[in-house]
Amino acid sequence: MFYHCFNSIPYHKPCPAGLSWSQVQERCVFISTPIEPIEPVEPVEPVEELVNGCSKGNPCQNGGLCEPSGKDDLFCLCTENYYGSRCEHVGEGTDLSVLESIINGNNNNYEHVVENVLSRNNWTDILAVVDVTGSMQPCAAGVYKWMKLSQDKTKNIRYYVFFNDGDDKLNSAKKVGSTGGVYGMSANNLNKVLATMQSAMKNGNGGDIPENDIEAILHGIEMCPTCMDIIHIADNKATPRDLVLLNRVTKPIKVLTCQVDVAGVNPQLLNLADKTGGSLHTLDEDVVNLSAIPVGEKITIGRRTYRRTSSGFVVV
């Protein structure tokens, strides 16, 4: 404040903005504010973007080849005489003698479901999700033979996912959504696709009966979001343990059923196809338009009849 006179009468008046009254100079002066020195800032190291699971190095042992399987996941293609998720075990892993005998032509007792279904349907932009647990060797061999012999058809497959339900993980350690043992590979290199399938088979045979089908399907959709035809080559004798994840599946699933016996198609696989707006395919039949079947109505597949209820299809 400073004194200002008006008609010889002094009164207090504030200094203008930015000025302050100086008792020494008896006038308003500019405020002198010392500038504090700026402390040097430590340089920030650039954050490396994680391109894929192998970008930080190769965790595979014994000469194994690291293959990315998503942004932060990977699997290993092992050299001969090694197996395991990181090629950490010496040996051959799961016995693949059935698969090898079929591939080598010494055993013609394999399932023709895959070649029959894919031959009678003109699907394109295919994501193939394949169960390769132990009991599926005859069907997996059919997949192998079909891939080797049907080049004109295999070009329509863009991505493969092979799953073995946890890489021989203890049953008690299997968690819905993160069981593991899921191997994904782009279809542009057939030799790598075949090696990936064999690695998935060597590293785990499934253990208990329920399997991580939906986890594998979700992984495939994430890796190939533009794939339009999603086919799931499923073990008819095993019910998916992770059906609670089915509401996350955003595309219709075409379920190809292997190992169908006199008991008929597993109704849970029929429901998987139905609830995703997909279809079900056996050796001889293509069951489509499931959503058009009203509650209470029946459908016959093979020698079995199924009735739609409010919660899904059941065997009659």
Side-chain angles (χ1 to χ4, degrees), residues 207-270:
D208 54 354
I209 295 176
E211 292 162 8
N212 57 332
D213 301 53
I214 313 304
E215 178 185 343
I217 290 171
L218 289 171
H219 178 81
I221 293 174
E222 178 186 3
M223 296 304 297
C224 190
T226 58
C227 285
M228 299 305 296
D229 289 311
I230 319 300
I231 66 172
H232 174 35
I233 301 170
D235 183 353
N236 188 68
K237 295 182 179 180
T239 295
R241 71 156 43 81
D242 48 6
L243 285 171
V244 294
L245 303 177
L246 198 55
N247 60 352
R248 300 185 189 178
V249 178
T250 57
K251 295 185 178 182
I253 306 301
K254 299 170 173 63
V255 180
L256 282 61
T257 52
C258 291
Q259 303 196 91
V260 177
D261 54 20
V262 293
V265 169
N266 185 333
Q268 293 298 348
L269 294 179
L270 181 59

Side-chain angles (χ1 to χ4, degrees), residues 47-56 66-75 159 219 222-224:
V47 178
E48 180 183 353
E49 182 181 356
L50 189 60
V51 177
N52 58 57
C54 299
S55 64
K56 293 289 187 179
C66 183
E67 288 291 339
S69 185
K71 186 175 180 181
D72 55 2
D73 201 4
L74 59 91
F75 64 89
Y159 199 85
H219 178 81
E222 178 186 3
M223 296 304 297
C224 190

Side-chain angles (χ1 to χ4, degrees), residues 59-228:
C60 305
Q61 303 173 30
N62 299 304
L65 177 65
C66 183
E67 288 291 339
S69 185
K71 186 175 180 181
D72 55 2
D73 201 4
L74 59 91
F75 64 89
C76 298
L77 294 179
C78 304
T79 55
E80 190 175 0
N81 297 323
Y82 293 98
Y83 73 99
S85 61
R86 297 296 179 266
C87 306
E88 68 274 25
H89 301 305
V90 178
E92 295 299 326
T94 300
D95 181 11
L96 301 185
S97 57
V98 173
L99 175 74
E100 291 167 355
S101 66
I102 294 171
I103 290 173
N104 295 332
N106 299 322
N107 179 359
N108 290 320
N109 186 26
Y110 68 93
E111 293 223 24
H112 296 264
V113 173
V114 175
E115 59 185 280
N116 280 20
V117 173
L118 293 179
S119 294
R120 65 178 184 249
N121 289 279
N122 294 317
W123 296 328
T124 58
D125 289 331
I126 297 173
L127 160 65
V129 181
V130 188
D131 182 341
V132 293
T133 50
S135 61
M136 284 285 284
Q137 283 197 40
C139 195
V143 175
Y144 188 105
K145 276 185 167 290
W146 184 82
M147 285 192 292
K148 292 284 286 185
L149 299 176
S150 304
Q151 296 293 321
D152 59 325
K153 288 283 187 179
T154 54
K155 67 183 180 183
N156 292 326
I157 298 183
R158 295 176 54 200
Y159 199 85
Y160 288 90
V161 174
F162 304 102
F163 67 99
N164 64 24
D165 194 40
D167 281 339
D168 272 344
K169 187 178 291 182
L170 291 174
N171 295 336
S172 59
K174 295 177 180 179
K175 296 182 179 180
V176 170
S178 59
T179 297
V182 178
Y183 297 67
M185 176 62 67
S186 173
N188 56 14
N189 186 324
L190 182 58
N191 289 330
K192 269 195 173 183
V193 170
L194 298 177
T196 300
M197 184 178 77
Q198 288 183 307
S199 291
M201 297 177 77
K202 284 183 177 182
N203 291 345
N205 62 9
D208 54 354
I209 295 176
E211 292 162 8
N212 57 332
D213 301 53
I214 313 304
E215 178 185 343
I217 290 171
L218 289 171
H219 178 81
I221 293 174
E222 178 186 3
M223 296 304 297
C224 190
T226 58
C227 285
M228 299 305 296

